[in-house]
Amino acid sequence: MWVNCIQCKECPRRSSLGIELTLYDIKDSSTGKFVTCDQEFCHGVYGGPLTDCMANTSCPYLEIYGDGSSTTGYFVQDVVQYDKVSGDLQTTSTNGSLIFGCGARQSGNLDSTNEEALDGIIGFGKSNSSMISQLASSGGVRKMFAHCLDGINGGGIFAIGHVVQPEVNKTPLVPNQPHYSINMTAVQVGLDFLNLPTDVFGVGDNKGTIIDSGTTLAYLPEMVYEPLVSKIISQQPDLKVHTVHDEYTCFQYSESVDEGFPNVTFHFENSVSLKVYPHEYLFPFEDLWCIGWQNSGMQSRDRKNMTLLGDLVLSNKLVLYDLENQVIGWTEYNCSSSIKVRDERTGTVHLVGSHYLTSDCSLNTQWCIILLLLSLLLHLLIHQS
């Protein structure tokens, strides 16, 4: 987790998303303090003492994302406030001490040139330095969380804790992987299964299929992407296909896409499947429909031929991450409704509702919500353990 800080020169000051941006200033906080290079947290991030970093200097961080954007700065510790569920659709304010990045320099889509700017990124990865891991290690929460991105109305649900309703089918996480990786077994287009090599989804270090809410589209190895897209386009032989921005396969189609194109279903270990409808994997661009599947064979070396499913696939589903049992699961769901979460301390079950974020975003709503998720404005709904 990191936020833009007051001394940052390249950090954005305004956003077209209708979000008021605020730069964090540790001098304005009575509880904020710097994390130094000799502290255990810093050693944990770097796997030991950091070379050329003196004991009394701030522990630095650098995060580089798949699109080439980066953030760099130093770690600080402060009290973060969040909402604890206290009853059905009711919350009370609580807090916890967290270590997070104080952004001093941003580049790419994170700097001041990006109109759709954000305050930072909330880290819910598997590492010990993520927000969910820190809160769980302090005993404040269960090490499990869920999100439901409403691709129809915008907004959605985000909650930490044991979700008891809806029930979800789960598949195990691949061990010893830095991301949320699971084992894909097959790809189905309509009623037909693609004829694929058995090892196509686990090449080299890219073991398993990565589930990533921080990525908008979905990336598939070339030997999956090519037959998948060909199968989709073949449903309408008269389509005139265009390439937009040298990467998106687009076409004109005036009828219902759900009636004219097939569903795509991914199958995973434990007989768990994930169905993606045409209105989810196709997105409008001007007067065209464009295919959201991307060829990871055309990506840079680190991402080449990886399988990564982003919000194109994850929207309109309740997705549960259970780090205690090392499983992940999902189910199709109305993300404008509510879910039930158990308070492990009292045994009571409470409703957690959705939140809607207003925005003047000019994008299609389905893609706008993905940007809004990262704005840190979705309430963190926490059940104390």
Side-chain angles (χ1 to χ4, degrees):
M1 172 178 166
W2 60 266
V3 297
N4 292 321
C5 282
I6 191 70
Q7 73 274 33
C8 179
K9 296 291 191 294
E10 295 87 2
C11 289
R13 288 336 197 240
R14 59 184 61 88
S15 173
S16 65
L17 296 175
I19 300 166
E20 183 179 350
L21 301 184
T22 304
L23 298 178
Y24 173 78
D25 188 353
I26 195 169
K27 294 180 180 177
D28 286 344
S29 173
S30 60
T31 52
K33 52 189 176 182
F34 297 100
V35 175
T36 56
C37 291
D38 59 337
Q39 290 185 236
E40 183 179 344
F41 181 90
C42 192
H43 292 177
V45 169
Y46 292 101
L50 192 59
T51 306
D52 300 328
C53 190
M54 305 298 291
N56 59 346
T57 57
S58 295
C59 179
Y61 83 88
L62 168 64
E63 195 72 45
I64 302 174
Y65 297 97
D67 65 352
S69 301
S70 67
T71 173
T72 184
Y74 49 88
F75 287 109
V76 297
Q77 184 171 8
D78 208 341
V79 175
V80 175
Q81 292 188 346
Y82 53 87
D83 288 339
K84 173 192 170 186
V85 175
S86 56
D88 286 349
L89 306 179
Q90 295 179 341
T91 62
T92 56
S93 181
T94 187
N95 60 62
S97 180
L98 287 179
I99 295 176
F100 54 92
C102 185
R105 184 181 295 272
Q106 319 292 20
S107 71
N109 288 325
L110 300 174
D111 65 20
S112 57
T113 61
N114 182 19
E115 293 182 355
E116 294 161 347
L118 308 167
D119 275 323
I121 288 181
I122 189 166
F124 268 70
K126 294 171 65 178
S127 74
N128 292 334
S129 60
S130 73
M131 181 175 181
I132 181 66
S133 295
Q134 289 190 65
L135 287 173
S137 66
S138 66
V141 302
R142 296 287 299 273
K143 202 172 185 179
M144 51 182 69
F145 65 97
H147 61 66
C148 196
L149 307 179
D150 192 331
I152 300 170
N153 303 307
I157 305 168
F158 189 77
I160 296 176
H162 184 189
V163 177
V164 296
Q165 189 178 333
E167 294 184 359
V168 301
N169 295 319
K170 304 182 184 74
T171 187
L173 290 166
V174 179
N176 305 316
Q177 293 297 302
H179 306 290
Y180 291 110
S181 299
I182 54 180
N183 287 317
M184 187 182 293
T185 57
V187 178
Q188 183 180 358
V189 184
L191 298 176
D192 301 325
F193 284 84
L194 298 182
N195 186 17
L196 301 170
T198 55
D199 63 346
V200 67
F201 301 112
V203 180
D205 293 332
N206 299 327
K207 294 180 180 178
T209 296
I210 297 173
I211 303 296
D212 181 23
S213 64
T215 297
T216 302
L217 301 178
Y219 295 82
L220 302 169
E222 190 161 6
M223 62 182 69
V224 179
Y225 171 84
E226 294 289 355
L228 173 63
V229 172
S230 296
K231 191 80 172 174
I232 291 171
I233 293 175
S234 69
Q235 304 296 309
Q236 301 293 335
D238 297 330
L239 284 183
K240 294 182 178 179
V241 177
H242 312 273
T243 301
V244 176
H245 297 321
D246 296 325
E247 59 179 328
Y248 299 112
T249 300
C250 304
F251 51 82
Q252 284 188 323
Y253 190 75
S254 58
E255 306 298 324
S256 166
V257 292
D258 282 332
E259 295 179 5
F261 296 93
N263 299 328
V264 174
T265 305
F266 298 102
H267 295 267
F268 298 91
E269 192 176 346
N270 277 8
S271 300
V272 175
S273 63
L274 194 159
K275 183 181 291 185
V276 189
Y277 299 93
H279 70 268
E280 293 173 330
Y281 68 72
L282 297 173
F283 64 92
F285 176 77
E286 296 178 352
D287 60 342
L288 303 173
W289 285 100
C290 296
I291 297 176
W293 311 117
Q294 298 295 290
N295 183 359
S296 62
M298 304 295 290
Q299 300 297 309
S300 61
R301 183 180 61 185
D302 292 343
R303 296 168 66 93
K304 190 174 181 64
N305 282 324
M306 71 161 44
T307 307
L308 188 155
L309 303 181
D311 293 310
L312 172 145
V313 172
L314 303 178
S315 61
N316 305 313
K317 298 172 184 68
L318 191 283
V319 184
L320 172 66
Y321 303 76
D322 183 348
L323 288 171
E324 294 182 5
N325 297 297
Q326 291 294 294
V327 294
I328 187 172
W330 54 80
T331 187
E332 293 183 17
Y333 203 63
N334 176 6
C335 298
S336 290
S337 60
S338 58
I339 62 175
K340 290 184 178 180
V341 184
R342 173 177 288 122
D343 185 332
E344 300 297 332
R345 187 166 46 85
T346 64
T348 56
V349 174
H350 297 304
L351 286 174
V352 172
S354 61
H355 292 81
Y356 178 73
L357 301 177
T358 57
S359 170
D360 57 0
C361 182
S362 60
L363 298 174
N364 173 271
T365 301
Q366 181 175 358
W367 306 116
C368 203
I369 172 58
I370 294 162
L371 294 169
L372 291 173
L373 173 69
L374 296 177
S375 71
L376 306 184
L377 292 181
L378 280 180
H379 283 263
L380 289 178
L381 298 168
I382 312 295
H383 260 290
Q384 300 282 63
S385 62

